[in-house]
Amino acid sequence: MVATRQPATRRRRSEEMVDTAGIPPETLLEIYETMCLSKAMDDRVWVLAHSGEIALAVSCHGHEALQVASIYALRRGYDWMVPYYRDSAAALAMGLTPRDMMLAFFARREDSFSGARQFPNHFSSRTLNILSGSSDIATQIPHGVGIALASKMRKEDRVTITYFGDGATSEGDFHEAMNFAAVLKIPVIFLCENNEYAISVPRRKQMAIDDISNKAVGYGMPGVSVDGRDVFAVYRAVQEAAARARRGEGPTLVVANTYRIDPHTSNDPDRFYRDPKEITEQRKHDPVLRFSAFLNQHGFLTEEQDAAIAARVAAQVDEATDYARSAPQPVPEDAALYLYGN
Amino acid sequence: MVATRQPATRRRRSEEMVDTAGIPPETLLEIYETMCLSKAMDDRVWVLAHSGEIALAVSCHGHEALQVASIYALRRGYDWMVPYYRDSAAALAMGLTPRDMMLAFFARREDSFSGARQFPNHFSSRTLNILSGSSDIATQIPHGVGIALASKMRKEDRVTITYFGDGATSEGDFHEAMNFAAVLKIPVIFLCENNEYAISVPRRKQMAIDDISNKAVGYGMPGVSVDGRDVFAVYRAVQEAAARARRGEGPTLVVANTYRIDPHTSNDPDRFYRDPKEITEQRKHDPVLRFSAFLNQHGFLTEEQDAAIAARVAAQVDEATDYARSAPQPVPEDAALYLYGN
Amino acid sequence: MPQKLVIEAINDALREEMRRDETVFCIGQDIGAGGGVFLVTQGLQNEFGPDRVIDSPLAESAIIGVSIGAAANGMRPVAEMQFFDYILPAMEQIANEAAKMRWRSFNTWGVPMVMRAPTGGGVTGGIYHSQSLEAMFTNIPGLKVVLPATPYDAKGLLKAAIRDPDPVLYLEHKKTYRSIRGEVPDGDYVVPIGKAEVKRTGNNLTIVTWGLMVHYALDAAAQLEQEGISIEVVDLRTLLPVDNETILESVKKTGKALVVYEANRTGGFGGEIASTIAEFAFEHLDGPVTRLASPDIPAMPWNHPQEAFFMLSPEKIAAAARKLAAY
Amino acid sequence: MPQKLVIEAINDALREEMRRDETVFCIGQDIGAGGGVFLVTQGLQNEFGPDRVIDSPLAESAIIGVSIGAAANGMRPVAEMQFFDYILPAMEQIANEAAKMRWRSFNTWGVPMVMRAPTGGGVTGGIYHSQSLEAMFTNIPGLKVVLPATPYDAKGLLKAAIRDPDPVLYLEHKKTYRSIRGEVPDGDYVVPIGKAEVKRTGNNLTIVTWGLMVHYALDAAAQLEQEGISIEVVDLRTLLPVDNETILESVKKTGKALVVYEANRTGGFGGEIASTIAEFAFEHLDGPVTRLASPDIPAMPWNHPQEAFFMLSPEKIAAAARKLAAY
Ligand SMILES: Cc1ncc(C[n+]2csc(CCOP(=O)(O)OP(=O)(O)O)c2C)c(N)n1
Ligand SMILES: Cc1ncc(C[n+]2csc(CCOP(=O)(O)OP(=O)(O)O)c2C)c(N)n1
Ligand SMILES: [Mg+2]
Ligand SMILES: [Mg+2]
């Protein structure tokens, strides 16, 4: 994916000079690989949806940088994530595997998120601290506050990050959760993924402001807007928000601005409401390409490394697809399981 | 109610010099009289509640200036009002009478708001453009937006004012309505009556900001905070908001800061949650006394006038009380009326 | 007579009503350029402009709350909830405001508005795009609830709902949108709210049902006819206020009643119907009033095998009817 | 055994559970210094501090939504809705989130939380402080709904609810708070969720009811005893999951069933009970399963004459039972 390659001799020097927000080189490559993996997964699920092998594609093209960087800014395995359906790259960064994802897309019995009860991309993992979400917009935001409240009550220094889109900010639940967290100084990070659309509704029909971080003002919490296609900008913002939260100073709203390159889902005929030229234009700012170019330019990523990553990613996606494709269907009667606990 | 009286000779001059926000002297007296009436009504309903003659007192002590001034800043009989239960002074300013109010307090058949179906102070009048409200906090805010949307669709230049408390700002409906109005540039005024409490919950447990008008920022609408015990400050702010709305520039949030002098209702044992000293302190800023002093100081109100007003007000309250007291009870079976229209 | 799909009948009704009465307007998420996620409102924004086909922010409570205000001030809003599942944030506005406005104001104010929402399952909608939540709304006097099964009823009931002086929850079964075609006369007509219809006459047993299940019941009835069992199918069409008269008349004739509904069994609206029959047709009953509904699990699973497990079908209905008929 | 009021029993249960288990905490509007508008939580903030008795902002959806998150992360929140009428803004969180969390995550997550809400009328609460909205919650599998009538059950069921692994809607009839006194043993005990109780045995007719109506039914039964009519009173206690076994056993014995509930008649939870009886006790019925409920008007009027018109009473219940007994 790297366009222009740098000679190996220039690499070392560059590495010393460039500010990578304190992210060590190995981690930069890990972040990059996760972004590539997400992109490859997205590409695959669209193919599978178009061929009819799966019933629904949901993807996060354009969100890779912000999602992966925001997770890497936290203590993975320790902090909490409350995602929505758009967060597949973030979920991979947390530790979910392509197989986990594909089992959900294929609606297989083994789907660890929901036993194929839910739509795909409705992530859930107790071991990874990823709370199960619904399809309802914005309902997860108070859940994130509640998880963080519990951490705070137990005096743990864990933080919770909760994700939502630009459209979700219009819902009452966004507002109630933001206010609640600010009043009680809850260690939560509100990460708004502004991709300019809520299905067909453009941002200017969703709100009368341009900078979504202004929404923090009315709650008395810090708000910051960053380029959501810039790994470092997002990383820094989330790192700072996490530090604040751990210091007991309460929540932060981080707005990561990007663009939804794919249609909302494979059920969404986006030609009705947006100009294909707009998409073409936005593809130029693909965060994966941009990060790749950066890594190469500054000597963090060689052509060989990139090729190896591409190969690993492709193999993983293939393996996951094949595995899920041939995995068994759910048993009809199992739908009755787990109405109540005991 | 006037403390120190000014000699008559000084009156004329003062009248010319003082800035009364363009309110003519007769109107100043009308505003004052309405405020006195509200205060006298409030005093009476507490007496009636304590004696057990009525089941519930709800009052607006401390809100008189902001409520009456905000209505006088509009075109009464033309513009719309969407109140909540705290808005008795505003409702009187709109043209409801003490009798209307008392019939509701006594739960009499003739109650024009609801036929005594609702609690008192749940105003309603089609001729006066006062929409019926529920007891639910914040639900009226989107109603105000809808009324104004209809005016806008018909290209009328009417504005709608919708009232709510500081506590109401925490509800999702506040948020959704504010955002909606800003996006669609609806000719509505959001008037927040900040009285520092939502029943027992003090403002600092309700929100993490001190100036509620900051809440406008996230919606992209102007927000202004004014001294809610200052008739002129409120009048100017609402007048400006109304002008904006009529110019098609959309909504404004006006926050009028005051203090709830009485308990929430006569069912509320406020000694559990606030220090009586706080109330004593706040009584010093009684907006009715303050306005009275101003009017007298600047020669708008003579002692005789004030006495006449007091007498008229007392007579009205007496008359309304007597009338309602002896008005007939509702007929049990009439509860079944008006399930649906036709 | 022209044949139309349910979705076309609804689109026609909206278009004709908006042409007829300029106080009628549509409001909802994605209903404009997008035409709604099911394309029910396709073409309307083109014809009537963005001020009468309003793309609202993503806020159900505001959509309903704003519509209430507009309705009180002389307009006739038709609000779309993108899925019935997502009407829940607006519950307070619907139950405590819209439904109570007239009564609480002693007839001073009315709220002539329609809330459209796609209900039901069987379209791989999974948990949150398949729920049949009508029982949450049928204990709310002041509200009207309709659920047409055919294109004819869909058009006529939507027109009636738009012209009604009170708030009407107009449910559209999303599976019928493009799977049910039927005769729809050109031009204006209304199907009255509050009237059930016998969609098929029979003597041995009455099936009372609504929505998609009307078609499944008719299929089941056709199967059972081969077996010599004659089924009457009553399509409620309106759930609130419910037409007990038509139901009771039918059951008094057949002596047996099977109430079929797609929602979860316990606490579903079928309980209302069955208990009305049990109370007021008691002396005519030749067998227990029987309910057939979806199992009491939280929702419709997304995967196909379990979706089929959850959903009723003509076969499941036929089996239940056969058993009751043999009682 | 000590005699306690319902409100004392609830306060005791909260206090004892908070002492027993430090993951239990309370959250709601005005519950702290104010002790709640009914004073149910009085003294708790004093004992446990403002971090475990949290005065929340005025936001029902957040109260429930935040509680869900806290419950998923190891806590046991007890959320207070100031009035049952004001639970509606939280409907989406309750129905689509709390009730579905366990099932949708294939048992990975659970939401052990209690939602307390004062229900019912008869206390001059008027339209918006008197509603009996249980039917909005009884078609939601995954949720549990309880409504104790006595101090004993109030304490035991609240303890059971707090210890339950799933979300429990715990309804408190506000008129019982200070009007119903009864024996409550000192110390710890639990009343199991999902178990109805025969509160009075009888042979001629079964009254199935819940909440305040249990007491009215007992009063009616006492009256009717003088007339030689022997009434059995089944107190549901838990509405979801409902104890059909106890209901059916009683009706099979008496042969007649009167279902009494305070909510609006149409679409109320009584329909579920009556239709279950009609279906599964059919052969034992000596008269129609009869429902007695409040009229289908939007709400409880505030004024006294109409409040009395709306509310059921021992006399109204006795009249209906007398009529059915004579069938
Ligand atoms: C309460 C609710 N209302 C409506 C929907 C339908 N819906 C699904 S996704 C969506 C748009 C969400 O947009 P945004 O929050 O910007 O997230 P994005 O998909 O752009 O990442 C809508 C309206 C829903 N799922 N939930
Ligand atoms: C949705 C809802 N939740 C809770 C209540 C109970 N309640 C009635 S008044 C009130 C406080 C309102 O405070 P505020 O908005 O500041 O208005 P104020 O009474 O101070 O004028 C509360 C919580 C309610 N009426 N509606
Ligand atoms: Mg978006
Ligand atoms: Mg207040």
Side-chain angles (χ1 to χ4, degrees):
Chain A
M1 290 184 181
V2 178
T4 357
R5 299 288 158 179
Q6 305 289 327
T9 46
R10 279 185 55 192
R11 242 175 273 146
R12 277 292 123 85
R13 252 174 304 149
S14 176
E15 206 172 305
E16 281 147 22
M17 279 154 41
V18 68
D19 175 9
T20 62
I23 310 175
E26 321 79 74
T27 310
L28 289 177
L29 290 185
E30 222 177 288
I31 289 173
Y32 174 63
E33 182 158 346
T34 308
M35 289 168 63
C36 291
L37 179 59
S38 170
K39 194 171 175 180
M41 284 288 289
D42 280 356
D43 289 341
R44 178 62 55 87
V45 298
W46 279 86
V47 170
L48 293 168
H50 285 145
S51 72
E53 270 206 274
I54 64 174
L56 188 73
V58 193
S59 58
C60 77
H61 268 343
H63 294 238
E64 294 91 344
L66 75 91
Q67 288 188 14
V68 179
S70 60
I71 293 297
Y72 271 83
L74 301 177
R75 297 197 205 147
R76 287 178 303 143
Y78 183 73
D79 293 330
W80 281 83
M81 176 202 193
V82 181
Y84 77 118
Y85 56 77
R86 190 69 68 206
D87 289 317
S88 36
L92 288 170
M94 284 289 280
L96 290 178
T97 65
R99 219 189 241 200
D100 294 326
M101 307 290 193
M102 278 299 177
L103 284 164
F105 276 109
F106 276 90
R108 295 311 193 224
R109 184 176 174 181
E110 230 183 288
D111 161 35
S112 64
F113 307 155
S114 78
R117 289 165 176 190
Q118 295 232 62
F119 270 12
N121 273 24
H122 284 53
F123 321 104
S124 161
S125 166
R126 187 172 267 283
T127 48
L128 298 174
N129 287 349
I130 303 174
L131 184 67
S132 161
S134 70
S135 305
D136 294 45
I137 296 296
T139 46
Q140 78 279 12
I141 312 179
H143 300 172
V145 177
I147 287 181
L149 170 64
S151 299
K152 183 182 161 135
M153 290 178 104
R154 285 196 300 263
K155 302 200 171 23
E156 300 163 357
D157 72 340
R158 284 179 226 264
V159 308
T160 301
I161 188 163
T162 175
Y163 293 86
F164 50 88
D166 46 308
T169 63
S170 297
E171 286 280 7
D173 269 9
F174 161 79
H175 169 74
E176 296 192 7
M178 292 276 289
N179 186 56
F180 197 103
V183 172
L184 278 92
K185 287 203 181 298
I186 305 287
V188 63
I189 301 166
F190 297 103
L191 201 140
C192 178
E193 309 186 33
N194 172 25
N195 62 9
E196 298 293 328
Y197 283 94
I199 308 186
S200 76
V201 180
R203 189 170 46 73
R204 75 189 152 71
K205 286 192 168 193
Q206 196 70 246
M207 61 187 78
I209 55 173
D210 281 321
D211 181 350
I212 298 182
S213 72
N214 281 338
K215 290 187 182 281
V217 176
Y219 303 106
M221 72 171 80
V224 53
S225 251
V226 296
D227 180 348
R229 291 179 276 206
D230 177 344
V231 165
F232 301 110
V234 175
Y235 186 91
R236 279 193 202 93
V238 174
Q239 204 179 36
E240 205 177 305
R244 253 195 108 236
R246 284 192 232 278
R247 287 196 304 269
E249 293 167 21
T252 305
L253 172 62
V254 177
V255 180
N257 297 299
T258 187
Y259 183 84
R260 195 194 75 211
I261 292 172
D262 293 334
H264 174 62
T265 67
S266 52
N267 282 339
D268 173 35
D270 64 343
R271 66 184 183 283
F272 286 148
Y273 61 80
R274 63 177 179 179
D275 189 340
K277 281 200 219 100
E278 182 181 301
I279 306 169
T280 313
E281 178 55 36
Q282 291 285 349
R283 277 191 190 280
K284 294 184 193 151
H285 309 290
D286 182 321
V288 185
L289 296 181
R290 177 166 153 185
F291 194 45
S292 154
F294 170 90
L295 291 178
N296 177 256
Q297 195 185 335
H298 295 288
F300 296 107
L301 178 71
T302 64
E303 212 162 324
E304 306 78 61
Q305 282 174 306
D306 202 22
I309 287 173
R312 272 201 301 275
V313 158
Q316 268 188 288
V317 174
D318 283 344
E319 188 280 336
T321 310
D322 292 344
Y323 184 89
R325 183 183 278 129
S326 57
Q329 293 275 351
V331 176
E333 293 69 29
D334 283 357
L337 294 175
Y338 310 129
L339 172 59
Y340 295 116
N342 39 32
Chain B
M1 293 182 179
V2 178
T4 359
R5 300 289 157 179
Q6 305 289 327
T9 45
R10 276 186 55 193
R11 241 174 273 144
R12 276 294 121 85
R13 250 175 305 149
S14 177
E15 205 172 308
E16 282 148 23
M17 279 156 38
V18 70
D19 174 9
T20 63
I23 310 176
E26 320 81 73
T27 311
L28 289 177
L29 290 185
E30 224 178 287
I31 289 173
Y32 175 63
E33 182 157 347
T34 308
M35 288 168 64
C36 291
L37 180 59
S38 170
K39 194 171 174 178
M41 285 286 291
D42 280 357
D43 288 342
R44 178 62 55 87
V45 300
W46 279 87
V47 171
L48 294 169
H50 284 146
S51 73
E53 269 207 272
I54 63 174
L56 189 74
V58 194
S59 58
C60 76
H61 268 343
H63 295 238
E64 295 92 343
L66 75 91
Q67 288 188 15
V68 178
S70 60
I71 293 296
Y72 271 82
L74 302 177
R75 296 197 207 149
R76 287 178 304 142
Y78 184 72
D79 292 330
W80 282 84
M81 176 202 193
V82 181
Y84 75 118
Y85 55 78
R86 188 70 67 207
D87 290 316
S88 37
L92 289 169
M94 284 289 281
L96 290 177
T97 66
R99 219 190 241 199
D100 294 326
M101 306 292 195
M102 279 298 179
L103 283 163
F105 275 110
F106 277 89
R108 295 310 193 225
R109 185 177 174 178
E110 229 183 289
D111 161 33
S112 64
F113 307 155
S114 78
R117 290 167 174 189
Q118 295 232 61
F119 270 14
N121 273 24
H122 284 53
F123 321 104
S124 161
S125 167
R126 187 172 269 282
T127 49
L128 298 174
N129 288 348
I130 302 174
L131 184 67
S132 160
S134 70
S135 305
D136 295 47
I137 296 297
T139 46
Q140 78 280 12
I141 313 179
H143 300 172
V145 176
I147 287 181
L149 169 65
S151 299
K152 183 183 161 136
M153 289 178 106
R154 285 195 301 263
K155 303 200 173 12
E156 302 162 356
D157 72 339
R158 284 179 225 264
V159 308
T160 301
I161 188 163
T162 176
Y163 294 86
F164 50 88
D166 46 308
T169 63
S170 298
E171 286 280 7
D173 269 10
F174 161 79
H175 170 73
E176 296 192 7
M178 292 278 287
N179 186 55
F180 197 102
V183 172
L184 278 92
K185 289 202 177 300
I186 304 288
V188 63
I189 301 166
F190 298 102
L191 201 141
C192 179
E193 309 186 34
N194 172 25
N195 62 9
E196 298 293 328
Y197 284 93
I199 309 184
S200 75
V201 180
R203 189 171 46 74
R204 75 188 153 71
K205 285 193 170 194
Q206 196 69 246
M207 61 187 78
I209 55 174
D210 281 321
D211 182 351
I212 299 183
S213 72
N214 281 338
K215 289 187 181 283
V217 176
Y219 304 107
M221 72 171 81
V224 52
S225 252
V226 296
D227 180 347
R229 292 179 274 206
D230 176 347
V231 166
F232 301 109
V234 175
Y235 186 90
R236 280 193 200 93
V238 174
Q239 205 179 37
E240 205 177 306
R244 252 197 109 236
R246 286 192 230 280
R247 287 196 305 269
E249 292 168 21
T252 305
L253 172 63
V254 177
V255 180
N257 298 300
T258 186
Y259 183 84
R260 195 194 75 212
I261 293 172
D262 293 333
H264 174 63
T265 67
S266 53
N267 282 338
D268 173 36
D270 64 343
R271 68 185 180 284
F272 286 147
Y273 60 82
R274 62 177 180 179
D275 189 341
K277 283 202 216 97
E278 181 182 300
I279 306 169
T280 312
E281 179 54 37
Q282 291 286 347
R283 278 192 189 279
K284 295 184 192 151
H285 309 289
D286 183 319
V288 185
L289 296 182
R290 177 164 153 187
F291 193 47
S292 154
F294 171 89
L295 291 177
N296 176 258
Q297 193 185 338
H298 296 287
F300 296 106
L301 178 72
T302 64
E303 212 161 325
E304 306 78 59
Q305 281 174 307
D306 202 21
I309 286 173
R312 274 202 300 276
V313 157
Q316 267 189 287
V317 174
D318 284 344
E319 188 281 335
T321 308
D322 293 344
Y323 184 90
R325 183 182 278 131
S326 58
Q329 293 275 351
V331 177
E333 294 69 28
D334 283 357
L337 294 174
Y338 311 129
L339 172 59
Y340 295 116
N342 39 33
Chain C
M1 235 189 286
Q3 294 274 326
K4 302 240 178 186
L5 291 170
V6 166
I7 197 164
E8 293 165 336
I10 296 172
N11 185 280
D12 285 354
L14 290 171
R15 189 182 311 270
E16 289 173 23
E17 289 302 293
M18 289 185 76
R19 286 181 185 161
R20 185 188 60 78
D21 178 354
E22 61 177 23
T23 66
V24 178
F25 72 95
C26 293
I27 184 165
Q29 295 156 18
D30 302 290
I31 66 170
V37 294
F38 291 101
L39 306 182
V40 175
T41 55
Q42 212 175 23
L44 297 182
Q45 197 176 59
N46 255 354
E47 178 170 346
F48 301 103
D51 293 342
R52 279 186 74 200
V53 180
I54 302 174
D55 281 314
S56 77
L58 215 177
E60 287 77 11
S61 189
I63 294 171
I64 301 300
V66 168
S67 295
I68 289 170
N73 190 8
M75 304 300 289
R76 296 210 168 238
V78 181
E80 176 175 307
M81 301 278 97
Q82 197 160 89
F83 286 86
F84 197 16
D85 314 67
Y86 304 137
I87 201 170
L88 299 182
M91 191 57 107
E92 181 184 31
Q93 286 289 351
I94 297 169
N96 276 355
E97 302 296 334
K100 295 186 175 52
M101 180 71 85
R102 179 180 303 283
W103 188 85
R104 81 177 179 216
S105 70
F106 212 69
N107 211 25
T108 297
W109 300 100
V111 180
M113 68 181 277
V114 180
M115 297 165 278
R116 298 178 36 243
T119 183
V123 299
T124 331
I127 309 192
Y128 293 108
H129 303 87
S130 304
Q131 292 181 75
S132 295
L133 300 172
E134 62 267 21
M136 283 191 180
F137 298 87
T138 46
N139 193 220
I140 306 177
L143 194 65
K144 296 181 179 178
V145 182
V146 304
L147 206 182
T150 65
Y152 180 90
D153 288 343
K155 183 171 175 184
L157 275 169
L158 183 47
K159 286 182 168 241
I162 290 172
R163 297 173 194 184
D164 198 273
D166 291 302
V168 181
L169 176 61
Y170 177 92
L171 299 172
E172 308 168 1
H173 198 294
K174 60 179 83 71
K175 182 154 186 168
T176 67
Y177 276 152
R178 294 171 192 281
S179 72
I180 303 294
R181 193 183 289 279
E183 295 196 336
V184 179
D186 280 327
D188 199 45
Y189 70 95
V190 150
V191 171
I193 293 177
K195 281 278 159 218
E197 189 178 61
V198 176
K199 282 281 196 302
R200 176 193 173 107
T201 55
N203 303 312
N204 300 142
L205 182 154
T206 299
I207 295 180
V208 184
T209 190
W210 54 93
L212 176 68
M213 292 305 123
V214 171
H215 302 287
Y216 287 8
L218 290 170
D219 285 357
Q223 284 178 39
L224 293 170
E225 188 166 40
Q226 319 295 326
E227 305 171 23
I229 304 171
S230 160
I231 306 273
E232 180 145 315
V233 176
V234 176
D235 173 7
L236 283 189
R237 301 197 297 195
T238 296
L239 309 191
L240 203 69
V242 63
D243 181 2
N244 286 327
E245 222 172 296
T246 300
I247 299 168
L248 292 171
E249 199 181 308
S250 173
V251 177
K252 286 178 183 173
K253 179 181 76 174
T254 63
K256 285 178 178 169
L258 175 67
V259 181
V260 176
Y261 53 110
E262 192 181 325
N264 300 111
R265 177 185 171 98
T266 300
F269 188 61
E272 173 63 31
I273 304 304
S275 54
T276 297
I277 296 169
E279 182 164 355
F280 298 109
F282 180 66
E283 303 189 350
H284 301 80
L285 289 176
D286 302 322
V289 183
T290 302
R291 289 186 290 161
L292 178 69
S294 294
D296 284 331
I297 59 177
M300 181 97 57
W302 185 54
N303 71 79
H304 282 122
Q306 295 184 342
E307 184 183 76
F309 168 83
F310 186 92
M311 279 291 281
L312 295 182
S313 62
E315 294 65 38
K316 291 179 189 173
I317 296 171
R322 198 178 286 121
K323 190 172 157 213
L324 179 57
Y327 185 92
Chain D
M1 235 190 283
Q3 294 274 327
K4 301 241 177 185
L5 291 170
V6 167
I7 196 164
E8 294 166 335
I10 296 172
N11 186 279
D12 284 354
L14 289 171
R15 188 181 311 269
E16 289 173 23
E17 288 302 293
M18 288 185 76
R19 285 180 186 162
R20 185 188 60 78
D21 177 355
E22 63 176 23
T23 68
V24 178
F25 71 95
C26 293
I27 183 164
Q29 296 156 19
D30 302 291
I31 65 169
V37 295
F38 290 100
L39 306 182
V40 175
T41 54
Q42 212 175 21
L44 296 183
Q45 198 176 57
N46 255 355
E47 177 169 348
F48 301 103
D51 293 342
R52 279 186 74 196
V53 180
I54 302 175
D55 281 314
S56 78
L58 216 176
E60 287 78 10
S61 190
I63 294 171
I64 302 299
V66 168
S67 295
I68 290 170
N73 190 9
M75 304 300 289
R76 297 211 166 238
V78 180
E80 175 175 308
M81 301 278 95
Q82 198 160 90
F83 287 86
F84 197 15
D85 314 67
Y86 303 137
I87 202 171
L88 298 183
M91 192 55 106
E92 183 185 29
Q93 285 290 351
I94 297 169
N96 277 355
E97 303 296 336
K100 293 185 176 52
M101 180 71 85
R102 178 181 302 284
W103 187 85
R104 81 175 180 219
S105 69
F106 213 70
N107 212 25
T108 297
W109 300 101
V111 180
M113 67 182 277
V114 179
M115 298 166 278
R116 297 179 36 244
T119 183
V123 299
T124 329
I127 308 192
Y128 294 108
H129 304 85
S130 305
Q131 292 181 74
S132 296
L133 299 172
E134 62 268 20
M136 284 191 180
F137 297 88
T138 45
N139 194 219
I140 305 176
L143 195 66
K144 296 181 180 179
V145 182
V146 305
L147 207 181
T150 64
Y152 181 89
D153 288 344
K155 182 170 176 187
L157 274 169
L158 184 47
K159 286 184 169 240
I162 290 172
R163 300 173 193 183
D164 198 272
D166 291 301
V168 180
L169 176 61
Y170 178 92
L171 300 172
E172 308 168 0
H173 199 295
K174 60 179 84 70
K175 182 153 185 165
T176 67
Y177 277 152
R178 292 172 193 281
S179 72
I180 303 295
R181 192 182 290 277
E183 296 195 336
V184 178
D186 280 327
D188 199 44
Y189 69 96
V190 151
V191 171
I193 294 177
K195 281 277 158 217
E197 188 178 62
V198 176
K199 282 282 194 306
R200 177 193 172 105
T201 55
N203 302 313
N204 301 140
L205 184 152
T206 299
I207 295 180
V208 185
T209 191
W210 53 94
L212 177 67
M213 293 304 123
V214 171
H215 303 287
Y216 288 7
L218 290 169
D219 285 357
Q223 282 178 38
L224 293 171
E225 188 167 38
Q226 319 295 325
E227 304 171 25
I229 304 172
S230 160
I231 306 274
E232 179 144 317
V233 177
V234 175
D235 173 6
L236 282 190
R237 302 197 296 193
T238 295
L239 309 191
L240 202 68
V242 62
D243 181 2
N244 286 327
E245 222 171 298
T246 301
I247 300 168
L248 291 171
E249 199 181 309
S250 172
V251 177
K252 285 179 183 173
K253 179 181 76 174
T254 63
K256 286 179 179 169
L258 176 67
V259 181
V260 176
Y261 53 109
E262 191 180 326
N264 300 112
R265 176 185 172 97
T266 300
F269 188 61
E272 173 63 30
I273 304 302
S275 54
T276 297
I277 296 169
E279 183 165 352
F280 299 109
F282 180 67
E283 304 189 351
H284 302 81
L285 288 176
D286 302 322
V289 183
T290 302
R291 289 187 290 161
L292 179 69
S294 295
D296 285 329
I297 60 177
M300 181 98 55
W302 184 55
N303 71 79
H304 281 122
Q306 296 185 342
E307 184 184 77
F309 167 84
F310 186 93
M311 277 293 281
L312 295 181
S313 62
E315 293 66 37
K316 291 179 189 174
I317 296 171
R322 199 178 284 120
K323 190 173 156 212
L324 180 57
Y327 183 91

